[in-house]
Amino acid sequence: MEQDSYSVPEVIEALRSVGVQEEVIEYIVPIAGYESRVGGVPFVRDALDKISPSWGIFQANIDSMAPGIYQAMKELGVELPGVTDKQDKILSTNKAKLSSEKNFTEEQKKFVANWFATEADLNANALVFKYTLATKMVDESTDDFKEAIDAAYVLTTQKFADLKNDDAQALKKDLENQYSEYLNTPDDIGIPEPEEGFEPGTKVGELTDEVQEDTDIDMTTRSSTTNQFGTPPQDIDTTTRSSTTNQFGIPPQDKMSPDFKKDSFLKYFDTVTSFKKKDPQTFKERSVAKPTEINFMGTPVTTQEIIDLLEP
């Protein structure tokens, strides 16, 4: 069963859902609250004016707002009885040669009144307001929504303008405050509340004494059994290793010995001249009467040794 009255946030969201602009919502909410007040309660769903046949939260007048009401009912799929093609065209476009042609028949008025009283929910009322405002702006030949609203709700806007009307001013201020409070309330983004015992200022990574005790490790014991990767250490005789191999397992060489220098030069020479090597079948035998020595970093190297490098 549809509820009898609504809160300011519910009315705001209903108007938003049908595409009413925010500035219009801000202006109409206090007016609609005052217009639909019954027994001091605003936004009563089936509110009926005591003087005119104005129904619902936005007090849509069945006599003067037929096009807007009809357009909303049509969008909602409510079939109004006795509608002719001509009437449908007039009410759908809000265009007629005579203003009287924009009205409901007596039978249709009873149907609409019963719809407001028993079926029209909050969203239906919001849609009715959207269309009645649009048609009222056409009737008043204005693009100013405030001018159209003031023309539709003359008595209420006059009371709001009267600063001596304490009742109207009090309700207007209260509804405006509720509107502002709702707009300024941050959305709930789902941040969980801190657990019981949580103390603000605790840095990430800090552990409680209880947790720290569980995670403490005897570093002395661990170092004697495993390394940082959990692998048992191996005993290494650094004295023996240094005399046989280096840290990569390669026997050490005396870099100052003539043989080491000679080997280094021949390897280097072999590398830089490898691209010059020819097909061995094209080589010719050469006679070397007397090997010629070349001094490389204080180490003698013969030409024969160089030739041997060039010929595989």
Side-chain angles (χ1 to χ4, degrees):
M1 181 178 179
E2 184 64 25
Q3 63 194 77
D4 295 328
S5 61
Y6 305 93
S7 65
V8 169
E10 289 175 321
V11 174
I12 293 173
E13 292 304 328
L15 291 168
R16 286 175 175 175
S17 70
V18 298
V20 178
Q21 296 179 347
E22 198 66 38
E23 56 184 353
V24 178
I25 296 175
E26 182 179 7
Y27 192 70
I28 191 59
V29 163
I31 295 174
Y34 189 87
E35 286 273 340
S36 61
R37 186 173 56 163
V38 177
V41 179
F43 307 116
V44 175
R45 183 186 62 79
D46 58 352
L48 174 62
D49 187 68
K50 296 178 180 179
I51 300 175
S52 65
S54 299
W55 282 90
I57 297 171
F58 300 94
Q59 290 293 281
N61 191 311
I62 295 176
D63 286 344
S64 61
M65 298 181 177
I69 297 172
Y70 178 74
Q71 290 170 28
M73 295 178 72
K74 188 175 182 179
E75 181 173 323
L76 292 168
V78 180
E79 295 184 6
L80 187 67
V83 178
T84 64
D85 291 342
K86 179 180 179 180
Q87 186 185 26
D88 174 71
K89 184 177 181 180
I90 291 173
L91 294 179
S92 297
T93 60
N94 192 34
K95 294 179 180 180
K97 293 180 180 180
L98 300 175
S99 59
S100 59
E101 294 180 331
K102 297 182 181 181
N103 297 333
F104 290 130
T105 65
E106 291 302 317
E107 179 186 6
Q108 291 170 345
K109 289 180 181 179
K110 292 179 181 179
F111 180 89
V112 173
N114 183 68
W115 178 73
F116 271 114
T118 61
E119 298 182 33
D121 58 12
L122 175 58
N123 285 348
N125 276 267
L127 191 63
V128 168
F129 169 74
K130 174 184 176 180
Y131 281 111
T132 54
L133 175 60
T135 55
K136 192 64 176 177
M137 291 175 70
V138 173
D139 293 341
E140 297 295 325
S141 300
T142 180
D143 294 329
D144 186 349
F145 69 86
K146 290 184 179 181
E147 185 177 337
I149 290 176
D150 290 349
Y153 304 98
V154 177
L155 295 179
T156 298
T157 53
Q158 287 179 349
K159 291 177 181 179
F160 280 1
D162 183 5
L163 300 180
K164 295 181 179 180
N165 190 322
D166 296 335
D167 175 63
Q169 294 302 318
L171 182 62
K172 177 176 181 291
K173 183 178 181 180
D174 178 52
L175 296 177
E176 288 176 342
N177 289 341
Q178 290 187 51
Y179 173 87
S180 299
E181 182 180 357
Y182 179 68
L183 258 64
N184 294 325
T185 300
D187 294 333
D188 183 4
I189 60 176
I191 299 177
E193 295 183 1
E195 298 180 358
E196 184 178 354
F198 172 79
E199 295 183 3
T202 301
K203 297 181 180 179
V204 176
E206 288 186 351
L207 302 176
T208 62
D209 294 340
E210 182 180 350
V211 176
Q212 184 65 48
E213 289 176 1
D214 293 339
T215 57
D216 282 344
I217 298 176
D218 186 348
M219 299 301 292
T220 305
T221 303
R222 189 185 73 172
S223 63
S224 64
T225 56
T226 62
N227 59 17
Q228 58 180 325
F229 304 106
T231 305
Q234 298 180 2
D235 293 333
I236 300 175
D237 186 352
T238 55
T239 304
T240 304
R241 187 185 69 177
S242 63
S243 62
T244 57
T245 62
N246 59 14
Q247 58 179 327
F248 304 105
I250 302 174
Q253 296 183 5
D254 186 1
K255 295 184 179 181
M256 298 304 295
S257 67
D259 290 339
F260 176 79
K261 294 181 179 180
K262 178 178 179 179
D263 290 342
S264 298
F265 169 77
L266 295 177
K267 289 179 181 179
Y268 172 76
F269 192 85
D270 182 39
T271 301
V272 299
T273 58
S274 60
F275 68 94
K276 297 181 180 180
K277 292 183 179 180
K278 299 181 180 180
D279 186 350
Q281 296 181 358
T282 63
F283 291 166
K284 296 182 179 179
E285 294 184 358
R286 302 179 181 85
S287 59
V288 180
K290 182 179 180 180
T292 304
E293 292 185 351
I294 300 174
N295 191 306
F296 173 70
M297 297 179 63
T299 301
V301 181
T302 66
T303 54
Q304 185 59 49
E305 288 175 323
I306 296 176
I307 292 174
D308 289 342
L309 284 173
L310 296 174
E311 296 181 0

